[in-house]
Amino acid sequence: TSATPGEGKSTASYMIARNFTEIGKRVLLLDTDMRKPSLHKNLKLDNALGLSVYLSGAVPITEIVQSSDTPGLSVITTGPLPPNPAELLLSENMLKLIAHALENYDQLVFDGPPVMGLADSPIVSSMVEGVIMVVEAGKTRKGLATNAVKRLRSARANILGALINKLEAKHTPYSYVYGNYSYQYGVQDHKKLTR
């Protein structure tokens, strides 16, 4: 998840899922952002059937799982946008889906909704083993990220850490010492990275 939309959660989720397939894991990537999904667009997958359709009880789990171009990676898109995402995520069907997926895959990766302003992300975060907070370098305000972490903790989410996204190397200070010589590269104004 991330504090706000547009910080790169979907790309980060896909890359994490793909990396697990590269070490031989069978992975299921689920898009749980049923307000502004993007995973189906990024992966060029059909979104007619998906999580919302299954959670509403219209189809079985097997009908919403799609194959991807990456061997070992299956995907569940959001499906049509429902009027009540939080209610669907709290349903018994969501727990059944997770139980079924754990029996059939080595790793589940959830592309979650943003934390602030919505109940969806704390709901999903309370159902998974761990949460990674995606933070956009130079954009995400410290206070906003701190409040997002507080909301996740209040939902009893197990926060594994943060992934700093969209970081430009030219803005990253870097230095090292070799013998009696010290070398520094990058900017000296650290405020740009931490606002």
Side-chain angles (χ1 to χ4, degrees):
T1 189
S2 67
T4 58
E7 296 190 58
K9 293 181 304 299
S10 296
T11 301
S13 299
Y14 170 68
M15 294 308 295
I16 290 168
R18 198 175 82 177
N19 287 341
F20 277 119
T21 67
E22 290 176 1
I23 59 170
K25 302 275 188 183
R26 291 171 302 139
V27 182
L28 178 62
L29 176 59
L30 303 94
D31 192 345
T32 60
D33 186 351
M34 291 189 281
R35 295 179 194 268
K36 194 175 179 186
S38 61
L39 201 58
H40 67 282
K41 294 174 192 170
N42 297 345
L43 300 180
K44 297 178 177 56
L45 296 172
D46 183 26
N47 199 33
L49 292 178
L51 186 61
S52 64
V53 178
Y54 163 73
L55 293 178
S56 65
V59 296
I61 294 170
T62 53
E63 288 193 29
I64 63 169
V65 178
Q66 299 183 57
S67 298
S68 73
D69 290 341
T70 303
L73 178 61
S74 298
V75 180
I76 294 178
T77 63
T78 60
L81 302 185
N84 54 349
E87 186 179 317
L88 287 178
L89 291 168
L90 277 170
S91 70
E92 183 69 24
N93 281 343
M94 185 65 175
L95 297 176
K96 288 179 182 175
L97 171 64
I98 292 171
H100 172 83
L102 288 171
E103 289 177 4
N104 293 280
Y105 296 91
D106 301 314
Q107 196 75 39
L108 309 182
V109 178
F110 292 74
D111 178 12
V115 177
M116 300 311 291
L118 305 170
D120 307 12
S121 189
I123 291 168
V124 174
S125 298
S126 69
M127 297 178 175
V128 299
E129 290 182 13
V131 176
I132 297 173
M133 184 84 168
V134 177
V135 178
E136 184 175 347
K139 182 179 177 194
T140 305
R141 303 271 182 208
K142 182 180 178 183
L144 196 59
T146 301
N147 288 336
V149 168
K150 285 179 185 175
R151 280 199 79 197
L152 292 172
R153 284 190 176 143
S154 70
R156 300 189 187 279
N158 177 24
I159 302 172
L160 302 175
L163 186 153
I164 307 300
N165 202 19
K166 303 181 185 179
L167 179 66
E168 293 184 35
K170 67 182 179 181
H171 295 144
T172 306
Y174 172 75
S175 64
Y176 68 95
V177 176
Y178 182 79
N180 293 326
Y181 300 95
S182 175
Y183 301 91
Q184 284 192 321
Y185 302 94
V187 297
Q188 298 302 311
D189 182 6
H190 302 291
K191 293 178 185 175
K192 288 185 179 180
L193 297 174
T194 58
R195 284 193 220 189

